[in-house]
Structure formats: C-alpha cells, structure tokens
Amino acid sequence: MTLVRHAESRRSETPNAVMTTLASPTLGGARSSIWRTEVTPDVKGPVHTFDAEQIWTILEGEATIELDGETSTAGPGDTAVLPAHATRQLTAGPQGYTAIVTAPADAHAWTPGDADNKITPPWIV
C-alpha cells in the first residue's frame, strides 16, 4: 500500500482551473490518476478531446458539460462518465465547481482538428 499524504499532493494551475493531483504514477505509483479540479464562477474550459474515458464527480457548485453537441448540467453528488474520443467542454456555474476526476494515467488530450499535437496533462502523470 502507498499512502499519499495531503502535503505531497501536486498542484497545477491553468488559466481556467486549479488541479490537485491526489495519486498518479509519479505520485504514489498508481496506474490510474485521480485529481481534484477547482473552477471559479462562469469560467468556460477549452474545447478538447481525450483518448480515454474520464469520470467526473461534482462535489460543490455546478458544471455544464457539453459532450459531442449534447449539454447536461451536473451538481453536487452527480457523476458524469465522459467517453473516450468525445469532444467536450465544461463551463462553471455561478458558484464555480469543485470535482474529483479520474482517468488512465496515459491519457492524451488535444484540440479537435489538431490530433497531431496531443498532450498528457501534467496533473495525470
């Protein structure tokens, strides 16, 4: 067993959110990654695609999730399973949102139409 202490968690900031890595291959030796995402009110995240499934559980606030042109709103306690290869965009509600997210540690993201420039977000490695 590996115990990752809160003080060891890794924080990554982007213009849209703060991601706190709770476990990943480089943090605790996990094969999957789990992180906390905190987004301020009314922030619209980037349109992007992942090559792996992601699971989002909203802890606080509200997020609107656009997935391949369909829109849903998730609130506290709701869990959204976002399939691989679906184009997505998350928008924070008026109070922002906090979520726990998990995905395979080797997942890649890209902007639609630019699959040649895939990245592995630093909070999942």
Side-chain angles (χ1 to χ4, degrees):
M1 178 181 97
T2 301
L3 178 62
V4 179
R5 301 284 182 187
H6 177 71
E8 298 170 322
S9 62
R10 186 175 59 237
R11 185 177 164 104
S12 301
E13 293 188 42
T14 70
N16 296 310
V18 174
M19 279 64 65
T20 303
T21 305
L22 305 172
S24 70
T26 60
L27 184 62
R31 292 193 310 179
S32 296
S33 296
I34 186 167
W35 64 96
R36 179 182 177 106
T37 299
E38 298 170 278
V39 182
T40 56
D42 302 314
V43 167
K44 191 173 268 205
V47 175
H48 62 289
T49 303
F50 260 87
D51 62 1
E53 176 184 87
Q54 287 185 323
I55 302 171
W56 288 68
T57 298
I58 305 298
L59 302 176
E60 299 172 357
E62 186 176 271
T64 299
I65 304 164
E66 186 173 335
L67 187 71
D68 283 343
E70 292 188 29
T71 302
S72 298
T73 300
D78 293 340
T79 297
V81 179
L82 307 183
H85 304 288
T87 299
R88 64 201 57 190
Q89 182 176 38
L90 279 76
T91 303
Q95 292 86 33
Y97 70 83
T98 300
I100 294 292
V101 187
T102 187
D106 59 354
H108 298 90
W110 64 92
T111 302
D114 195 16
D116 290 337
N117 290 308
K118 293 180 180 179
I119 65 159
T120 300
W123 50 89
I124 72 172
V125 295

